[in-house]
Amino acid sequence: MASLGDLLSQASKENLMQVIGRGDVVRMKLTKEEGITPKNPGDVNRNKYFIVLGKTADGHLIGFVVINSNINERLSPKLQALHYPISPTKYPFLGKTRFVFCGDLKEISSDVFANRYKCESFGRIEEEDLTLIVEAVVQSGNVSPKRLRKFGLIE
């Protein structure tokens, strides 16, 4: 099956990267390359929702946080506390309450993003929630200031 990248011209790929922005909720198959552990042995990817928090100045990398279905009970209490709940009342596409993990900032290149099969956009996180999510990522202590600056989350 063709990827999104196969169907788009180079100009369309560049436009896609300009359209994707802070607060957008996307679902796509992510791999270990993006820091996602596949769920079952033998799997190479995992379909995940994520929220775009920023892009590098050149637009080549996207910084994002993952939305989990549940909070992993095996995580330390500190990491469990870094999950921000979002409700289907505000975000109907979720189907149920889910949890944004604010203890890590992952990245994906624009090339991988544009060429990965089955990337779906679902909407945008409201500014109030986005502000709290970004603050939690910045204050988590788990993401270096250099990385936070890279995606425009701090000055």
Side-chain angles (χ1 to χ4, degrees), residues 62-124:
I62 297 169
F64 66 93
V65 289
V66 174
I67 301 174
N68 293 317
S69 298
N70 301 296
I71 298 173
N72 186 339
E73 303 273 330
R74 293 176 293 198
L75 293 175
S76 69
K78 178 187 176 194
L79 292 179
Q80 287 184 30
L82 288 170
H83 285 77
Y84 182 81
I86 52 177
S87 164
T89 305
K90 273 180 143 176
Y91 308 106
F93 56 83
L94 293 174
K96 68 177 194 169
T97 297
R98 295 180 189 261
F99 304 89
V100 180
F101 182 52
C102 302
D104 193 12
L105 180 62
K106 299 191 178 298
E107 65 183 55
I108 188 169
S109 75
S110 57
D111 291 339
V112 170
F113 185 85
N115 288 303
R116 186 71 50 87
Y117 168 69
K118 199 167 182 183
C119 168
E120 302 171 86
S121 178
F122 284 89
R124 186 172 288 241

